Amino acid sequence: MLGGISCTPIDEVPNVLELRFEGVVGAQAATCGTSYDGLGTGGEQATLQDFRLYISGIELITEDGEVVEATLRPSAFSSETVGLLDFEDATGPCSDFGTAATNSTLQIEAPVGDYAGIAFDVGVPFDQNHLDVATAAAPLNVPSMYWAWNGGYKFVRVETTVSGDPYFLHLGSAACASDGPSAPPSEACGRPNLPRIELMGFDPTADTIEIDIAELFANSDIANNTENTAPGCMSGLDDVDDCTPIFDRLGLSYDTGTCTDDCAAQAVFRVK
Amino acid sequence: MGLVAAVGSLGWFGAGGCMSSDGAGTTPYVFDLPVGYPRPKIPESNPMTVEAVELGRHLFYDRRLSANTMQSCGDCHPQATAFADGIALAEGSTGHGLPRNTQGLTNVAYASTLTWGNPLLEDIEQQVLIPIFGEDPIELGASGNEEQILSRLRDDSTYQALFEAAFPDESDPVDFDHVARALASFSRSIVSSNSGYDRFYYRGDPEGMSESALRGEVLFNSERFECHHCHGGFNFSVASKTTSTSVAQTVFTNTGLYNLDGEGAYPPPNTGLFEFTGEAGDMGKFRPPSLRNVALTGPYGHDGSIETLDDVLDIYADAGRNIEDGPLAGDGRENPHKSEFVIGFELSDQDRADVRAFLDALTDESLTSDPALADPWESD
């Protein structure tokens, strides 16, 4: 290590890494208004109209299995603790609730090291999840990613239409007890629905993380929504048949809203 | 008109262009808002001052701003009805009919885009030029009459003082750039924070919301009614921005009001976002306005074709509007571009009463009677 004259010692220089993500549907890039074939259990064609998700709690994992916390660099799409990936650009059918700006990278600071894996939560930590979107700093300042004080944010907002009928995933915490929609819960929600994803064989300097909607809906009958329930899954307590196949793909238990076996069975996120 | 503009009076937008006044001698405008109530984002090019707001208030209610002196902003945006006009479609100063309903101005400072279907109008300074200069339809009719209108202002000692106070560093601030900035500043001062909802949630008054209104709020925010998807948040429109906004959030949705050709057509010229993007799927998509003071701002819809709030609820409960006969016939419920959140719901009499109570809790009588927002010429 260099001593140096008035240099910052090398272990104090922030090591900035850029995490690259790609939103995909199978082998194709995910873009607004594109129709994709072969989705769901029925091999349906679906048209994409939203694809956004929050990432938090990022950790890098060394070859030796040591876990190192990473902080995000603040930007229009990130705070030090939460980042927003946004693969839609408000064109075409994304014009309802989209934002013209997009984001597929997150800059993090972590000590210099040889990293072989990464872990992160898909969503917003509880202590930030139930405040006011209108006064929150980036990236929690996007109204269409918010439900209300009580429910917090949509951790994942993926929307498709199948022959014009909606099939959505709005993943967020459920069973949150509070005095009303505009009141935050004081205790953790009954179903946090916050998956933690771990990917090994990941070199942050060379690899990209793919997020695959085809995998997300692989077990879903996207042409047939259960009657009298939200279109697709909006994390409702009454939507077991539509939500369970999606939760399975994230390694989440629908009944408890927590990871089964550390969400090891998740199939949506992969290293490229 | 352009670079040959000499000192001041040539060039109706002023030699200074969009440069902001240095502001020495002006008083920063401070919003009187309760803790936790978001603050509006003010553009750097038009910092908000007490003096500019006061100038804007005078201009807003002044019929001399129209070429034929027959109409002011306040004629279509009267304070008593939360700055909306209580009719489906207004007429301009020369009798041209306007195609779309006059929107109320409560919390217009927080709108992420302005007007019903334009995705490009982000600042009020841009928007006010439309009613002032627009020719199709003519509203205030300033186009071609600019010098005549500005002379009225220049020759009026009240305005001399008001312009001087608002723009003290400019030798001749009487031009339409400064008129637009002052009107925008006044408009931004129209903020509601004393409705029943605000008193309950921001001002610690448990009487602010009745039990019925609280039940209505739950319905409003439910995945059964889905209102909050478009009309959620403190501003009751997701198409909002505040001082903490970093990524622009626009919202344009089709609520199934028309279906002229069975393929989703809305009656021209009100095709909404389609008019700007040319995308077939954008037909009939309009911005969800803030629901603050909604009980005062009927009739409803982009063309004022929905008379009452009960009619609004009926349409949403029915997942759209079916018009059975006449030139606008068509089943909007089947509109292929309709938002996936307009799915219909059962609406019991109790539900209706509760949602109505909640919407009533968004009425702010202090705003409709605030002297700071009132017509200064009336008290003369």
Side-chain angles (χ1 to χ4, degrees):
Chain A
M1 193 153 41
L2 299 173
I5 332 154
S6 68
C7 289
T8 307
I10 202 160
D11 62 359
E12 286 177 28
V13 173
N15 180 37
V16 180
L17 297 165
E18 183 169 85
L19 300 177
R20 286 176 301 273
F21 297 84
E22 267 179 43
V24 300
V25 187
Q28 298 173 261
T31 55
C32 287
T34 302
S35 297
Y36 301 92
D37 293 318
L39 297 187
T41 54
E44 311 287 344
Q45 184 184 83
T47 305
L48 188 66
Q49 67 175 50
D50 208 334
F51 188 179
R52 292 178 274 179
L53 60 148
Y54 283 108
I55 302 285
S56 57
I58 299 172
E59 290 172 336
L60 296 174
I61 305 165
T62 69
E63 293 277 359
D64 308 321
E66 191 194 329
V67 172
V68 172
E69 219 179 271
T71 52
L72 287 159
R73 295 202 121 187
S75 71
F77 281 91
S78 56
S79 65
E80 287 185 0
T81 51
V82 184
L84 175 61
L85 298 175
D86 181 349
F87 301 111
E88 59 76 36
D89 63 358
T91 62
C94 297
S95 62
D96 283 49
F97 296 101
T99 60
T102 62
N103 185 55
S104 62
T105 62
L106 295 174
Q107 295 208 329
I108 56 170
E109 286 179 21
V112 174
D114 268 321
Y115 295 110
I118 186 171
F120 51 84
D121 291 330
V122 181
V124 180
F126 175 74
D127 63 353
Q128 299 183 57
N129 193 32
H130 300 276
L131 304 172
D132 187 354
V133 67
T135 54
L140 299 178
N141 55 0
V142 181
S144 56
M145 291 300 287
Y146 184 71
W147 275 327
W149 290 83
N150 168 274
Y153 288 81
K154 302 176 184 77
F155 298 160
V156 177
R157 182 170 182 158
V158 169
E159 296 190 354
T160 69
T161 54
V162 182
S163 303
D165 290 329
Y167 206 86
F168 296 168
L169 171 64
H170 291 182
L171 181 70
S173 295
C176 306
S178 79
D179 290 340
S182 299
S186 47
E187 288 173 6
C189 299
R191 301 188 189 182
N193 293 340
L194 185 69
R196 183 156 187 81
I197 307 299
E198 184 179 293
L199 298 170
M200 297 307 297
F202 174 70
D203 175 358
T205 65
D207 297 333
T208 298
I209 298 171
E210 284 187 332
I211 309 171
D212 190 347
I213 292 178
E215 294 288 358
L216 183 70
F217 288 139
N219 292 346
S220 299
D221 184 2
I222 62 174
N224 291 296
N225 189 52
T226 307
E227 268 198 55
N228 296 321
T229 68
C233 169
M234 294 193 187
S235 309
L237 300 176
D238 61 346
D239 208 358
V240 57
D241 291 330
D242 296 322
C243 287
T244 302
I246 296 173
F247 276 46
D248 284 347
R249 304 301 286 167
L250 294 167
L252 268 184
S253 157
Y254 175 74
D255 291 329
T256 66
T258 58
C259 279
T260 302
D261 291 331
D262 298 325
C263 281
Q266 78 83 18
V268 174
F269 297 81
R270 61 176 177 258
V271 177
K272 178 172 133 180
Chain B
M1 178 191 353
L3 306 173
V4 189
V7 176
S9 45
L10 289 177
W12 297 302
F13 286 82
C18 289
M19 277 165 30
S20 63
S21 139
D22 166 34
T26 53
T27 317
Y29 182 93
V30 176
F31 285 92
D32 179 19
L33 297 172
V35 170
Y37 194 108
R39 264 111 240 281
K41 198 171 201 178
I42 310 298
E44 277 177 35
S45 55
N46 189 19
M48 200 151 156
T49 65
V50 169
E51 294 82 6
V53 170
E54 187 60 3
L55 169 60
R57 182 165 77 102
H58 282 74
L59 292 166
F60 186 88
Y61 288 105
D62 194 339
R63 296 201 173 116
R64 294 173 293 169
L65 200 60
S66 60
N68 66 2
T69 74
M70 298 295 284
Q71 191 174 63
S72 69
C73 310
D75 282 323
C76 292
H77 294 286
Q79 181 184 21
T81 42
F83 301 92
D85 54 15
I87 57 176
L89 300 172
E91 280 185 4
S93 60
T94 62
H96 284 195
L98 271 63
R100 288 174 290 282
N101 179 261
T102 305
Q103 294 194 41
L105 300 183
T106 306
N107 281 24
V108 66
Y110 297 93
S112 60
T113 59
L114 297 154
T115 73
W116 282 105
N118 188 329
L120 307 171
L121 285 175
E122 294 187 343
D123 290 318
I124 302 173
E125 289 83 351
Q126 303 169 294
Q127 178 275 334
V128 293
L129 300 178
I130 298 174
I132 292 174
F133 288 101
E135 297 176 35
D136 179 27
I138 293 172
E139 297 181 64
L140 298 188
S143 190
N145 301 302
E146 293 85 346
E147 198 44 47
Q148 178 189 27
I149 293 170
L150 292 177
S151 299
R152 295 173 193 156
L153 305 182
R154 277 197 203 101
D155 295 345
D156 181 309
S157 59
T158 302
Y159 277 120
Q160 283 161 18
L162 288 169
F163 273 93
E164 163 86 38
F167 304 108
D169 297 330
E170 316 224 10
S171 54
D172 181 16
V174 184
D175 58 42
F176 279 101
D177 172 49
H178 292 86
V179 165
R181 284 160 53 178
L183 286 171
S185 293
F186 171 68
S187 300
R188 292 197 175 99
S189 74
I190 304 171
V191 176
S192 170
S193 68
N194 283 292
S195 68
Y197 178 92
D198 297 314
R199 294 195 305 273
F200 186 87
Y201 282 109
Y202 292 108
R203 299 184 186 273
D205 176 5
E207 309 284 305
M209 300 260 284
S210 64
E211 289 299 320
S212 177
L214 288 167
R215 287 193 301 268
E217 187 187 8
V218 172
L219 292 173
F220 186 92
N221 283 287
S222 68
E223 294 294 354
R224 193 180 126 209
F225 279 50
E226 308 280 37
C227 317
H228 65 286
H229 283 283
C230 298
H231 290 288
F234 85 101
N235 198 30
F236 305 95
S237 165
V238 174
S240 296
K241 68 185 179 198
T242 68
T243 49
S244 50
T245 298
S246 60
V247 168
Q249 172 74 71
T250 57
V251 181
F252 295 96
T253 58
N254 176 317
T255 59
L257 295 179
Y258 294 102
N259 190 3
L260 298 189
D261 58 356
E263 303 203 351
Y266 267 49
N270 296 335
T271 53
L273 186 63
F274 173 81
E275 186 184 339
F276 292 89
T277 66
E279 293 264 351
D282 286 342
M283 171 62 66
K285 286 190 183 174
F286 292 95
R287 181 178 74 89
S290 168
L291 297 185
R292 286 181 168 275
N293 285 315
V294 69
L296 303 180
T297 57
Y300 304 101
H302 65 279
D303 58 359
S305 64
I306 311 173
E307 280 206 41
T308 67
L309 281 178
D310 277 319
D311 292 333
V312 172
L313 293 180
D314 286 337
I315 288 171
Y316 282 119
D318 205 21
R321 181 170 65 184
N322 181 19
I323 300 174
E324 292 189 335
D325 38 53
L328 301 176
D331 194 348
R333 300 169 305 183
E334 303 297 318
N335 191 308
H337 312 302
K338 189 182 71 168
S339 168
E340 293 86 9
F341 295 106
V342 178
I343 47 173
F345 45 81
E346 286 197 22
L347 183 66
S348 70
D349 289 342
Q350 184 66 59
D351 291 336
R352 179 187 299 271
D354 291 341
V355 174
R356 288 294 310 276
F358 172 65
L359 296 177
D360 282 340
L362 307 185
T363 299
D364 183 350
E365 277 161 11
S366 76
L367 182 139
T368 56
S369 61
D370 186 352
L373 304 177
D375 183 348
W377 307 104
E378 285 219 327
S379 54
D380 277 2

